[in-house]
Structure formats: C-alpha cells, structure tokens
C-alpha cells in the first residue's frame, strides 16, 4: 500500500510540473503564432483564435467529463464497498 501512495504522489508531482511548464511556455507560443497569423491578414488571425479557442473548449470539456465520470465511479465503488462490508442485520 505504501508503494501505491508513493507512486501516486510522484505521478501527481510530475503532472503538476508539466502543467507548470505549460503555463510558462504556452502563452508565449500562442502569442507568437497569433502575431504570425495576424501578419497574414485579419481573417487568419480570427481563424487562429477560433481554432485555438475551439480546441481549448473541447479539451477542457473532455477533462471535466473524464474527471466527473472517474469521481462518480469512485463514489459508486465506495458506496458498494460500504454496503458489502455491513453485517446482514445492518441492512434492514
């Protein structure tokens, strides 16, 4: 059990490190690409914003949906485990 907790802690720290790196590098990369797209014309600048915004929306919705489904499955599993561990006299 200790190994699992250690692994999940290391995994969480790794995810947070990657997220932090993305928060540092991503805005500059997006601004650079937007300025390049806008230099091609205003239509391309708006198209770039639309595509990036749509992608952000889809990824965000997918992340929220996945988190919701995992949390729901975890809660259901916990409820089943609690019911299973009760004595028969406690079920009525």
């Amino acid at each position: 059990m200790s190994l699992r907790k250690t692994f999940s802690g290391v995994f969480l720290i790794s995810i947070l490190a990657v997220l932090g790196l993305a928060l540092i590098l991503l805005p500059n990369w997006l601004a650079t690409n937007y300025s390049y797209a806008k230099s091609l014309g205003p239509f391309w600048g708006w198209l770039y914003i639309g595509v990036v915004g749509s992608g952000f929306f889809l990824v965000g919705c997918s992340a929220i949906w996945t988190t919701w489904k995992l949390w729901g499955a975890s809660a259901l599993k916990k409820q089943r485990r609690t019911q299973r561990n009760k004595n028969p006299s406690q079920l009525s």
Side-chain angles (χ1 to χ4, degrees):
M1 193 80 159
S2 177
L3 179 63
R4 181 180 170 132
K5 285 187 176 185
T6 302
F7 176 74
S8 66
V10 169
F11 187 66
L12 181 61
I13 288 174
S14 300
I15 288 174
L16 290 175
V18 169
L19 184 63
L21 183 65
L23 287 173
I24 292 170
L25 297 178
L26 195 60
N28 184 32
W29 182 74
L30 288 173
T32 304
N33 286 339
Y34 172 70
S35 65
Y36 176 72
K38 192 169 178 157
S39 71
L40 296 175
F43 170 76
W44 296 107
W46 284 108
L47 182 66
Y48 179 77
I49 288 174
V51 168
V52 170
S54 298
F56 179 74
F57 177 75
L58 290 173
V59 169
C61 288
S62 297
I64 290 169
W65 182 79
T66 302
T67 304
W68 178 262
K69 293 298 275 184
L70 288 174
W71 178 79
S74 176
L76 186 61
K77 185 177 177 181
K78 186 177 180 181
Q79 182 184 15
R80 284 185 195 155
R81 187 180 302 131
T82 304
Q83 286 289 345
R84 185 181 64 224
N85 289 337
K86 286 185 177 180
N87 288 332
S89 62
Q90 294 175 326
L91 295 176
S92 56

Coordinates of all heavy atoms in Angstrom, one line a residue:
M1 N 0.8 -1.2 0.0 CA 0.0 0.0 0.0 C 0.9 1.3 0.0 O 0.5 2.2 -0.6 CB -0.9 -0.1 1.2 CG -2.0 0.9 1.2 SD -3.3 0.3 0.1 CE -4.7 1.2 0.7
S2 N 2.0 1.2 0.7 CA 2.9 2.3 0.7 C 3.5 2.7 -0.6 O 3.6 3.8 -1.0 CB 4.0 2.1 1.7 OG 4.9 3.1 1.7
L3 N 3.8 1.6 -1.4 CA 4.3 1.9 -2.8 C 3.3 2.6 -3.6 O 3.6 3.5 -4.4 CB 4.7 0.5 -3.4 CG 5.3 0.6 -4.8 CD1 6.6 1.4 -4.8 CD2 5.5 -0.7 -5.4
R4 N 2.0 2.2 -3.5 CA 1.0 2.8 -4.3 C 0.8 4.3 -4.0 O 0.7 5.2 -4.8 CB -0.4 2.1 -4.1 CG -1.5 2.7 -4.9 CD -2.7 2.0 -4.7 NE -3.8 2.7 -5.3 CZ -4.7 2.1 -6.0 NH1 -4.7 0.8 -6.3 NH2 -5.7 2.8 -6.6
K5 N 0.9 4.7 -2.7 CA 0.8 6.1 -2.3 C 2.0 6.8 -2.8 O 1.9 8.0 -3.2 CB 0.7 6.2 -0.8 CG -0.7 5.8 -0.2 CD -0.8 6.1 1.2 CE -2.2 5.8 1.7 NZ -2.4 6.2 3.1
T6 N 3.2 6.2 -2.7 CA 4.4 6.9 -3.2 C 4.3 7.1 -4.7 O 4.6 8.2 -5.2 CB 5.6 6.1 -2.9 OG1 5.7 5.9 -1.5 CG2 6.9 6.8 -3.3
F7 N 3.8 6.1 -5.4 CA 3.7 6.2 -6.9 C 2.7 7.3 -7.2 O 3.0 8.1 -8.1 CB 3.3 4.9 -7.5 CG 3.1 5.0 -9.0 CD1 4.2 5.1 -9.8 CD2 1.8 5.0 -9.5 CE1 4.0 5.2 -11.2 CE2 1.6 5.1 -10.8 CZ 2.7 5.2 -11.7
S8 N 1.6 7.4 -6.6 CA 0.6 8.4 -6.9 C 1.1 9.8 -6.6 O 0.8 10.7 -7.3 CB -0.7 8.1 -6.2 OG -0.6 8.2 -4.8
G9 N 1.9 9.9 -5.5 CA 2.5 11.2 -5.2 C 3.5 11.7 -6.2 O 3.5 12.8 -6.6
V10 N 4.3 10.7 -6.7 CA 5.3 11.1 -7.7 C 4.6 11.4 -9.0 O 4.9 12.4 -9.7 CB 6.3 9.9 -7.9 CG1 7.1 10.1 -9.1 CG2 7.2 9.7 -6.7
F11 N 3.5 10.7 -9.3 CA 2.8 10.9 -10.5 C 2.1 12.3 -10.5 O 2.1 13.1 -11.4 CB 1.7 9.8 -10.7 CG 1.0 9.9 -12.0 CD1 1.6 9.7 -13.2 CD2 -0.4 10.1 -12.0 CE1 0.9 9.7 -14.4 CE2 -1.1 10.2 -13.2 CZ -0.4 10.0 -14.4
L12 N 1.6 12.7 -9.3 CA 0.9 14.0 -9.1 C 1.9 15.1 -9.3 O 1.7 16.1 -9.9 CB 0.2 14.0 -7.8 CG -0.5 15.3 -7.5 CD1 -1.6 15.6 -8.5 CD2 -1.1 15.3 -6.1
I13 N 3.1 14.9 -8.7 CA 4.1 15.9 -8.8 C 4.6 16.1 -10.3 O 4.8 17.2 -10.7 CB 5.3 15.6 -7.9 CG1 4.9 15.8 -6.4 CG2 6.5 16.5 -8.2 CD1 5.9 15.4 -5.4
S14 N 4.7 15.0 -11.0 CA 5.1 15.0 -12.4 C 4.0 15.8 -13.2 O 4.4 16.6 -14.1 CB 5.3 13.6 -13.0 OG 6.3 13.0 -12.3
I15 N 2.8 15.5 -13.0 CA 1.7 16.2 -13.7 C 1.7 17.7 -13.4 O 1.6 18.5 -14.3 CB 0.3 15.6 -13.3 CG1 0.2 14.2 -14.0 CG2 -0.8 16.5 -13.8 CD1 -1.1 13.5 -13.6
L16 N 1.9 18.0 -12.1 CA 2.0 19.5 -11.8 C 3.2 20.2 -12.4 O 3.1 21.3 -12.8 CB 1.9 19.6 -10.2 CG 0.6 19.2 -9.6 CD1 0.8 19.3 -8.0 CD2 -0.5 20.1 -10.0
A17 N 4.3 19.5 -12.5 CA 5.5 20.0 -13.1 C 5.2 20.3 -14.6 O 5.6 21.4 -15.1 CB 6.7 19.1 -12.9
V18 N 4.6 19.4 -15.3 CA 4.3 19.5 -16.7 C 3.3 20.7 -16.9 O 3.4 21.5 -17.8 CB 3.8 18.2 -17.3 CG1 3.2 18.4 -18.7 CG2 4.9 17.2 -17.4
L19 N 2.3 20.7 -16.0 CA 1.3 21.8 -16.1 C 2.0 23.2 -15.8 O 1.7 24.1 -16.5 CB 0.2 21.6 -15.0 CG -1.0 22.6 -15.0 CD1 -1.7 22.5 -16.4 CD2 -1.9 22.3 -13.9
G20 N 2.9 23.2 -14.9 CA 3.6 24.5 -14.6 C 4.4 24.9 -15.8 O 4.5 26.1 -16.2
L21 N 5.1 24.0 -16.5 CA 5.9 24.2 -17.7 C 5.0 24.7 -18.8 O 5.3 25.7 -19.5 CB 6.7 23.0 -18.1 CG 7.6 23.2 -19.3 CD1 8.7 24.1 -18.9 CD2 8.2 21.8 -19.7
A22 N 3.8 24.1 -18.9 CA 2.9 24.5 -20.0 C 2.4 26.0 -19.7 O 2.3 26.8 -20.6 CB 1.7 23.6 -20.1
L23 N 2.2 26.3 -18.5 CA 1.7 27.6 -18.1 C 2.8 28.7 -18.4 O 2.4 29.9 -18.6 CB 1.2 27.7 -16.7 CG -0.1 27.0 -16.4 CD1 -0.4 27.0 -14.9 CD2 -1.2 27.7 -17.1
I24 N 4.0 28.3 -18.4 CA 5.1 29.2 -18.6 C 5.3 29.4 -20.1 O 5.5 30.5 -20.7 CB 6.4 28.8 -17.9 CG1 6.3 28.9 -16.4 CG2 7.6 29.6 -18.4 CD1 7.4 28.2 -15.7
L25 N 5.3 28.3 -20.9 CA 5.7 28.3 -22.3 C 4.5 28.5 -23.2 O 4.7 29.1 -24.3 CB 6.4 27.0 -22.7 CG 7.7 26.6 -22.0 CD1 8.2 25.3 -22.4 CD2 8.7 27.7 -22.2
L26 N 3.4 28.1 -22.9 CA 2.2 28.1 -23.8 C 1.8 29.5 -24.2 O 1.5 29.8 -25.4 CB 1.1 27.3 -23.2 CG -0.1 26.9 -24.2 CD1 0.5 26.1 -25.3 CD2 -1.1 26.2 -23.4
P27 N 1.6 30.5 -23.2 CA 1.2 31.8 -23.6 C 2.1 32.5 -24.6 O 1.7 33.1 -25.6 CB 1.2 32.6 -22.3 CG 1.0 31.6 -21.3 CD 1.7 30.4 -21.8
N28 N 3.4 32.4 -24.4 CA 4.4 33.0 -25.4 C 4.3 32.3 -26.8 O 4.3 33.0 -27.8 CB 5.8 32.8 -24.9 CG 6.8 33.5 -25.7 OD1 6.5 34.5 -26.4 ND2 8.0 33.0 -25.8
W29 N 4.1 31.0 -26.8 CA 4.0 30.3 -28.1 C 2.7 30.7 -28.8 O 2.7 30.9 -30.0 CB 4.0 28.8 -27.8 CG 3.9 27.9 -29.0 CD1 4.9 27.7 -29.9 CD2 2.8 27.2 -29.4 NE1 4.5 26.9 -30.9 CE2 3.2 26.5 -30.6 CE3 1.5 27.0 -28.9 CZ2 2.3 25.7 -31.3 CZ3 0.7 26.2 -29.6 CH2 1.1 25.5 -30.8
L30 N 1.6 30.8 -28.0 CA 0.3 31.2 -28.6 C 0.4 32.6 -29.2 O -0.1 32.9 -30.2 CB -0.8 31.1 -27.6 CG -1.2 29.6 -27.3 CD1 -2.2 29.7 -26.1 CD2 -1.8 28.9 -28.5
A31 N 1.0 33.5 -28.4 CA 1.1 34.9 -28.8 C 2.0 35.0 -30.1 O 1.7 35.8 -31.0 CB 1.7 35.8 -27.7
T32 N 3.1 34.3 -30.2 CA 3.9 34.3 -31.3 C 3.2 33.8 -32.6 O 3.3 34.4 -33.7 CB 5.2 33.4 -31.1 OG1 5.9 33.9 -29.9 CG2 6.1 33.5 -32.3
N33 N 2.5 32.7 -32.4 CA 1.7 32.1 -33.5 C 0.6 33.1 -34.0 O 0.3 33.2 -35.1 CB 1.2 30.7 -33.2 CG 2.3 29.7 -33.2 OD1 3.3 29.9 -33.9 ND2 2.1 28.6 -32.6
Y34 N -0.1 33.7 -33.0 CA -1.1 34.6 -33.3 C -0.6 35.8 -34.1 O -1.2 36.3 -35.1 CB -1.9 35.1 -32.1 CG -2.9 36.2 -32.3 CD1 -4.0 35.9 -33.0 CD2 -2.6 37.5 -31.9 CE1 -4.9 36.9 -33.3 CE2 -3.5 38.5 -32.2 CZ -4.7 38.2 -32.9 OH -5.6 39.2 -33.2
S35 N 0.5 36.4 -33.7 CA 1.1 37.5 -34.4 C 1.5 37.1 -35.8 O 1.3 37.9 -36.7 CB 2.3 38.1 -33.6 OG 3.3 37.2 -33.6
Y36 N 2.0 35.9 -36.0 CA 2.3 35.4 -37.3 C 1.0 35.3 -38.2 O 1.0 35.7 -39.3 CB 3.1 34.1 -37.3 CG 3.3 33.5 -38.6 CD1 4.3 34.1 -39.5 CD2 2.6 32.4 -39.1 CE1 4.5 33.6 -40.7 CE2 2.9 31.9 -40.4 CZ 3.8 32.5 -41.2 OH 4.1 32.0 -42.4
A37 N 0.0 34.7 -37.6 CA -1.3 34.5 -38.3 C -1.9 35.9 -38.7 O -2.4 36.1 -39.8 CB -2.2 33.7 -37.5
K38 N -1.8 36.8 -37.7 CA -2.4 38.1 -38.0 C -1.6 38.9 -39.0 O -2.2 39.7 -39.8 CB -2.4 38.9 -36.7 CG -3.2 40.2 -36.8 CD -3.5 40.8 -35.5 CE -4.3 42.1 -35.7 NZ -5.0 42.5 -34.6
S39 N -0.3 38.6 -39.1 CA 0.5 39.3 -40.2 C 0.1 38.8 -41.6 O 0.3 39.5 -42.6 CB 2.0 39.0 -40.0 OG 2.3 37.7 -40.2
L40 N -0.5 37.6 -41.7 CA -1.0 37.1 -43.0 C -2.3 37.8 -43.4 O -2.7 37.8 -44.5 CB -1.2 35.6 -42.9 CG 0.0 34.8 -42.7 CD1 -0.4 33.3 -42.5 CD2 1.0 35.0 -43.8
G41 N -3.0 38.4 -42.4 CA -4.3 39.1 -42.6 C -5.2 38.9 -41.4 O -5.0 38.0 -40.6
P42 N -6.2 39.8 -41.3 CA -7.0 39.8 -40.1 C -7.9 38.5 -40.1 O -8.2 38.0 -39.0 CB -7.9 41.0 -40.3 CG -7.7 41.5 -41.6 CD -6.4 41.0 -42.1
F43 N -8.3 38.0 -41.3 CA -9.1 36.8 -41.3 C -8.3 35.6 -40.7 O -8.9 34.8 -39.9 CB -9.4 36.4 -42.8 CG -10.0 35.0 -42.9 CD1 -11.3 34.8 -42.5 CD2 -9.3 34.0 -43.4 CE1 -11.9 33.5 -42.6 CE2 -9.8 32.7 -43.5 CZ -11.1 32.5 -43.2
W44 N -7.1 35.5 -41.0 CA -6.2 34.4 -40.5 C -6.0 34.5 -39.0 O -5.9 33.5 -38.2 CB -4.9 34.3 -41.2 CG -5.1 33.9 -42.6 CD1 -5.0 34.8 -43.7 CD2 -5.6 32.7 -43.2 NE1 -5.3 34.1 -44.8 CE2 -5.7 32.9 -44.6 CE3 -6.0 31.5 -42.6 CZ2 -6.1 31.8 -45.4 CZ3 -6.4 30.5 -43.4 CH2 -6.5 30.6 -44.8
G45 N -5.9 35.8 -38.5 CA -5.8 36.0 -37.0 C -7.1 35.5 -36.3 O -7.0 34.8 -35.3
W46 N -8.3 35.9 -36.9 CA -9.5 35.4 -36.3 C -9.7 33.9 -36.4 O -10.2 33.3 -35.5 CB -10.7 36.1 -36.9 CG -10.8 37.5 -36.4 CD1 -10.6 38.7 -37.1 CD2 -11.2 38.0 -35.1 NE1 -10.8 39.8 -36.3 CE2 -11.2 39.4 -35.1 CE3 -11.6 37.3 -34.0 CZ2 -11.5 40.1 -34.0 CZ3 -11.9 38.0 -32.8 CH2 -11.9 39.4 -32.8
L47 N -9.3 33.4 -37.5 CA -9.4 31.9 -37.7 C -8.5 31.2 -36.7 O -8.9 30.2 -36.1 CB -8.9 31.5 -39.1 CG -9.0 30.0 -39.4 CD1 -10.5 29.6 -39.4 CD2 -8.4 29.8 -40.8
Y48 N -7.3 31.7 -36.4 CA -6.4 31.1 -35.4 C -7.0 31.2 -34.0 O -7.0 30.2 -33.3 CB -5.0 31.9 -35.4 CG -4.1 31.3 -34.4 CD1 -3.4 30.2 -34.6 CD2 -3.8 32.0 -33.2 CE1 -2.5 29.7 -33.7 CE2 -3.0 31.5 -32.3 CZ -2.3 30.3 -32.5 OH -1.4 29.8 -31.6
I49 N -7.6 32.3 -33.7 CA -8.2 32.4 -32.4 C -9.4 31.4 -32.3 O -9.6 30.8 -31.2 CB -8.7 33.9 -32.1 CG1 -7.5 34.8 -31.9 CG2 -9.7 33.9 -31.0 CD1 -7.9 36.2 -31.8
G50 N -10.2 31.3 -33.4 CA -11.3 30.4 -33.3 C -10.9 28.9 -33.2 O -11.4 28.2 -32.4
V51 N -9.8 28.5 -33.9 CA -9.3 27.2 -33.8 C -8.7 26.9 -32.5 O -9.0 25.8 -31.9 CB -8.3 26.9 -35.0 CG1 -7.6 25.6 -34.8 CG2 -9.0 26.9 -36.3
V52 N -7.9 27.8 -32.0 CA -7.3 27.5 -30.7 C -8.4 27.6 -29.6 O -8.4 26.7 -28.6 CB -6.2 28.6 -30.4 CG1 -5.7 28.6 -28.9 CG2 -5.0 28.4 -31.3
G53 N -9.3 28.5 -29.7 CA -10.4 28.5 -28.7 C -11.3 27.3 -28.7 O -11.7 26.7 -27.7
S54 N -11.6 26.8 -29.9 CA -12.4 25.6 -30.0 C -11.6 24.4 -29.4 O -12.2 23.5 -28.7 CB -12.7 25.3 -31.5 OG -13.5 26.3 -32.0
G55 N -10.3 24.3 -29.7 CA -9.5 23.2 -29.2 C -9.5 23.3 -27.7 O -9.6 22.2 -27.0
F56 N -9.3 24.5 -27.1 CA -9.3 24.6 -25.7 C -10.6 24.2 -25.1 O -10.6 23.5 -24.0 CB -8.9 26.1 -25.3 CG -8.9 26.4 -23.9 CD1 -7.9 25.9 -23.1 CD2 -9.9 27.1 -23.2 CE1 -7.8 26.2 -21.7 CE2 -9.9 27.3 -21.9 CZ -8.9 26.8 -21.1
F57 N -11.7 24.6 -25.7 CA -13.0 24.3 -25.2 C -13.2 22.7 -25.2 O -13.7 22.2 -24.2 CB -14.1 24.9 -26.1 CG -15.5 24.6 -25.7 CD1 -16.1 25.1 -24.5 CD2 -16.2 23.7 -26.5 CE1 -17.4 24.8 -24.2 CE2 -17.5 23.4 -26.1 CZ -18.1 23.9 -25.0
L58 N -12.8 22.1 -26.3 CA -13.0 20.6 -26.4 C -12.1 19.9 -25.4 O -12.6 18.9 -24.7 CB -12.7 20.2 -27.8 CG -13.7 20.6 -28.9 CD1 -13.2 20.2 -30.3 CD2 -15.0 20.0 -28.6
V59 N -10.9 20.3 -25.2 CA -10.0 19.6 -24.3 C -10.5 19.9 -22.9 O -10.5 19.0 -22.0 CB -8.6 20.1 -24.4 CG1 -7.7 19.7 -23.3 CG2 -8.0 19.6 -25.7
G60 N -11.0 21.1 -22.6 CA -11.5 21.4 -21.3 C -12.7 20.6 -20.9 O -12.9 20.1 -19.8
C61 N -13.7 20.5 -21.9 CA -14.9 19.7 -21.7 C -14.6 18.3 -21.5 O -15.2 17.6 -20.6 CB -15.8 19.9 -22.8 SG -16.6 21.6 -22.8
S62 N -13.6 17.8 -22.3 CA -13.2 16.4 -22.1 C -12.6 16.1 -20.8 O -12.9 15.1 -20.1 CB -12.2 16.0 -23.2 OG -12.8 16.1 -24.5
A63 N -11.8 17.0 -20.3 CA -11.1 16.8 -19.0 C -12.2 16.9 -17.9 O -12.1 16.1 -16.9 CB -10.1 17.9 -18.8
I64 N -13.1 17.8 -18.0 CA -14.2 17.9 -17.0 C -15.0 16.6 -17.0 O -15.4 16.1 -15.9 CB -15.0 19.2 -17.2 CG1 -14.2 20.4 -16.8 CG2 -16.3 19.1 -16.3 CD1 -14.8 21.7 -17.2
W65 N -15.4 16.2 -18.2 CA -16.3 15.0 -18.3 C -15.5 13.7 -17.7 O -16.1 12.9 -17.0 CB -16.6 14.7 -19.7 CG -17.5 13.5 -19.9 CD1 -18.9 13.5 -19.7 CD2 -17.1 12.3 -20.4 NE1 -19.3 12.2 -20.0 CE2 -18.3 11.4 -20.4 CE3 -15.9 11.7 -20.7 CZ2 -18.2 10.1 -20.8 CZ3 -15.8 10.4 -21.1 CH2 -17.0 9.6 -21.1
T66 N -14.3 13.6 -18.1 CA -13.5 12.5 -17.6 C -13.4 12.5 -16.0 O -13.5 11.5 -15.4 CB -12.1 12.4 -18.2 OG1 -12.2 12.4 -19.6 CG2 -11.3 11.3 -17.7
T67 N -13.1 13.7 -15.5 CA -13.0 13.8 -14.1 C -14.3 13.5 -13.4 O -14.4 12.8 -12.4 CB -12.5 15.2 -13.7 OG1 -11.3 15.5 -14.3 CG2 -12.4 15.4 -12.2
W68 N -15.4 13.9 -14.0 CA -16.7 13.7 -13.4 C -17.0 12.2 -13.4 O -17.5 11.6 -12.5 CB -17.8 14.4 -14.2 CG -19.2 14.2 -13.8 CD1 -20.1 13.3 -14.3 CD2 -19.8 14.8 -12.6 NE1 -21.3 13.4 -13.6 CE2 -21.1 14.3 -12.6 CE3 -19.4 15.7 -11.7 CZ2 -22.0 14.6 -11.6 CZ3 -20.4 16.1 -10.7 CH2 -21.6 15.5 -10.7
K69 N -16.7 11.5 -14.5 CA -17.0 10.1 -14.6 C -16.1 9.3 -13.7 O -16.6 8.3 -13.0 CB -16.8 9.6 -16.1 CG -17.7 10.1 -17.1 CD -19.2 9.7 -16.8 CE -19.4 8.4 -17.4 NZ -20.8 7.9 -17.2
L70 N -14.9 9.7 -13.5 CA -14.0 9.0 -12.6 C -14.4 9.2 -11.2 O -14.4 8.2 -10.3 CB -12.5 9.4 -12.8 CG -11.8 8.9 -14.0 CD1 -10.5 9.6 -14.1 CD2 -11.7 7.4 -14.0
W71 N -14.8 10.4 -10.8 CA -15.3 10.7 -9.5 C -16.6 9.9 -9.2 O -16.8 9.3 -8.1 CB -15.5 12.2 -9.3 CG -16.0 12.5 -7.9 CD1 -15.3 12.6 -6.8 CD2 -17.4 12.7 -7.6 NE1 -16.2 12.9 -5.7 CE2 -17.4 13.0 -6.2 CE3 -18.6 12.7 -8.3 CZ2 -18.6 13.2 -5.5 CZ3 -19.8 13.0 -7.6 CH2 -19.8 13.2 -6.3
G72 N -17.5 9.9 -10.2 CA -18.7 9.1 -10.0 C -18.5 7.6 -9.8 O -19.1 7.0 -8.9
A73 N -17.6 7.1 -10.6 CA -17.3 5.6 -10.4 C -16.6 5.4 -9.1 O -16.9 4.3 -8.5 CB -16.4 5.2 -11.6
S74 N -15.8 6.3 -8.7 CA -15.1 6.1 -7.4 C -16.2 6.2 -6.2 O -16.1 5.4 -5.3 CB -14.1 7.2 -7.2 OG -13.5 7.1 -5.9
A75 N -17.1 7.1 -6.3 CA -18.1 7.2 -5.3 C -19.0 6.0 -5.3 O -19.4 5.5 -4.2 CB -19.0 8.5 -5.5
L76 N -19.4 5.5 -6.4 CA -20.2 4.3 -6.5 C -19.5 3.1 -5.9 O -20.1 2.3 -5.2 CB -20.6 4.0 -8.0 CG -21.6 2.9 -8.2 CD1 -22.9 3.2 -7.5 CD2 -21.8 2.7 -9.7
K77 N -18.2 3.0 -6.2 CA -17.4 1.9 -5.7 C -17.3 1.9 -4.2 O -17.4 0.9 -3.5 CB -16.0 1.9 -6.3 CG -15.1 0.8 -6.0 CD -13.8 0.9 -6.7 CE -12.8 -0.2 -6.3 NZ -11.6 -0.1 -7.0
K78 N -17.2 3.1 -3.7 CA -17.1 3.3 -2.2 C -18.4 3.0 -1.6 O -18.5 2.3 -0.5 CB -16.7 4.8 -1.9 CG -16.5 5.0 -0.4 CD -16.1 6.5 -0.2 CE -15.9 6.8 1.2 NZ -15.5 8.2 1.5
Q79 N -19.5 3.3 -2.2 CA -20.9 3.0 -1.7 C -21.1 1.5 -1.7 O -21.6 0.9 -0.7 CB -21.9 3.7 -2.5 CG -23.3 3.4 -2.0 CD -24.4 4.1 -3.0 OE1 -24.1 4.4 -4.1 NE2 -25.6 4.2 -2.5
R80 N -20.7 0.8 -2.8 CA -20.8 -0.6 -2.9 C -20.0 -1.3 -1.8 O -20.4 -2.3 -1.2 CB -20.4 -1.1 -4.2 CG -21.4 -0.9 -5.3 CD -21.0 -1.5 -6.6 NE -21.7 -1.0 -7.7 CZ -21.3 -1.0 -8.9 NH1 -20.1 -1.5 -9.2 NH2 -22.1 -0.5 -9.9
R81 N -18.8 -0.8 -1.6 CA -17.9 -1.4 -0.6 C -18.5 -1.3 0.8 O -18.4 -2.2 1.6 CB -16.5 -0.8 -0.7 CG -15.5 -1.5 0.2 CD -14.1 -0.8 0.1 NE -13.6 -0.8 -1.2 CZ -13.1 0.2 -1.8 NH1 -13.0 1.4 -1.2 NH2 -12.6 0.2 -3.0
T82 N -19.0 -0.1 1.1 CA -19.7 0.1 2.4 C -20.8 -0.8 2.6 O -21.0 -1.4 3.7 CB -20.1 1.6 2.5 OG1 -19.0 2.5 2.3 CG2 -20.7 1.9 3.9
Q83 N -21.7 -1.0 1.6 CA -22.8 -1.9 1.7 C -22.4 -3.3 1.8 O -23.0 -4.1 2.6 CB -23.7 -1.7 0.4 CG -24.5 -0.5 0.4 CD -25.7 -0.5 1.4 OE1 -26.0 -1.5 1.9 NE2 -26.2 0.7 1.6
R84 N -21.4 -3.7 1.1 CA -20.9 -5.1 1.2 C -20.3 -5.4 2.5 O -20.4 -6.5 3.0 CB -19.8 -5.3 0.1 CG -19.4 -6.7 -0.1 CD -18.3 -6.9 -1.1 NE -17.1 -6.1 -0.8 CZ -16.4 -5.4 -1.6 NH1 -16.8 -5.2 -2.9 NH2 -15.3 -4.7 -1.2
N85 N -19.7 -4.4 3.2 CA -19.0 -4.7 4.4 C -19.9 -4.7 5.6 O -19.5 -4.9 6.8 CB -17.8 -3.7 4.6 CG -16.7 -4.0 3.7 OD1 -16.5 -5.1 3.2 ND2 -15.9 -2.9 3.4
K86 N -21.2 -4.3 5.4 CA -22.1 -4.3 6.6 C -22.6 -5.7 6.9 O -22.6 -6.6 6.1 CB -23.4 -3.5 6.2 CG -23.1 -2.0 6.1 CD -24.4 -1.3 5.9 CE -24.2 0.2 5.9 NZ -25.5 1.0 5.7
N87 N -22.9 -5.8 8.2 CA -23.5 -7.1 8.7 C -24.9 -7.2 8.1 O -25.6 -6.2 7.9 CB -23.5 -7.1 10.2 CG -22.2 -7.3 10.8 OD1 -21.3 -7.9 10.2 ND2 -22.0 -6.8 12.0
P88 N -25.4 -8.4 7.9 CA -26.8 -8.6 7.4 C -27.8 -7.9 8.3 O -28.8 -7.4 7.8 CB -27.0 -10.1 7.4 CG -25.6 -10.6 7.2 CD -24.7 -9.7 8.0
S89 N -27.5 -7.8 9.6 CA -28.5 -7.2 10.5 C -28.6 -5.6 10.3 O -29.6 -5.0 10.6 CB -28.2 -7.5 11.9 OG -26.9 -6.9 12.3
Q90 N -27.5 -5.1 9.7 CA -27.5 -3.6 9.5 C -28.1 -3.2 8.2 O -28.4 -2.0 7.9 CB -26.0 -3.1 9.5 CG -25.3 -3.2 10.8 CD -23.8 -2.9 10.6 OE1 -23.2 -3.1 9.6 NE2 -23.3 -2.3 11.7
L91 N -28.5 -4.2 7.3 CA -29.0 -3.9 6.0 C -30.5 -3.5 6.0 O -31.0 -2.9 5.1 CB -28.8 -5.0 5.1 CG -27.3 -5.3 4.8 CD1 -27.2 -6.6 3.9 CD2 -26.7 -4.1 4.1
S92 N -31.2 -3.8 7.1 CA -32.6 -3.6 7.1 C -33.0 -2.3 7.8 O -32.2 -1.6 8.4 CB -33.4 -4.7 7.7 OG -33.0 -5.0 9.0

